[in-house]
Amino acid sequence: MSLNIVTLVGRVGGDPDVKYFESGSVVCNLTLAVNRQTKNNDQPDWFNLELWGKTAEVAANYVRKGSLIGISGSLKFDVWKDRNTGADRSKPVVRVERMELLGSKRDNEAETAGKGGYEDEF
């Protein structure tokens, strides 16, 4: 048996970075700040998120910097070679399977002004 589940609630660190492919696929990348309170430091932990398909489209249309969201997904590692040094590099990324828009209805309306209300979960 193996288990790879990540569940986070936090605030989005910047507007969504959305890419559309000729195949019709869509991907959205976000950063998420999650507060982890400790005795000495109240700095957030930052997570890289990757969303695909309908969830990516919803994020593109309704999520903005500062939005409060909840996500669940799995952890993966992107791996590449550094262009300058040729060294292997990697970074952890949460592949989001489900996203919920959190916060008050007023917050969501202010963030999506002119785009229509949206209250469902994904």
Side-chain angles (χ1 to χ4, degrees), residues 91-122:
K91 73 174 180 177
V93 177
V94 177
R95 173 84 188 261
V96 176
E97 296 164 11
R98 181 176 172 170
M99 176 184 67
E100 293 188 34
L101 305 175
L102 304 174
S104 71
K105 184 175 179 183
R106 181 181 298 182
D107 290 343
N108 291 337
E109 286 174 355
E111 292 169 7
T112 60
K115 295 184 181 180
Y118 196 84
E119 299 176 42
D120 290 339
E121 61 183 57
F122 296 88

Side-chain angles (χ1 to χ4, degrees), residues 24-85:
S25 296
V26 59
V27 64
C28 176
N29 292 291
L30 298 170
T31 57
L32 189 69
V34 178
N35 288 332
R36 178 174 38 112
Q37 295 186 355
T38 63
K39 293 179 183 177
N40 301 328
N41 192 359
D42 288 337
Q43 294 296 316
D45 291 323
W46 287 93
F47 296 89
N48 296 302
L49 308 182
E50 178 182 274
L51 302 86
W52 287 88
K54 184 177 180 179
T55 306
E57 291 175 359
V58 170
N61 290 325
Y62 297 101
V63 173
R64 295 291 170 258
K65 179 179 180 178
S67 295
L68 182 64
I69 64 171
I71 62 96
S72 63
S74 57
L75 186 64
K76 70 174 195 158
F77 285 87
D78 284 347
V79 179
W80 69 96
K81 289 224 181 261
D82 187 289
R83 290 182 187 172
N84 298 324
T85 66

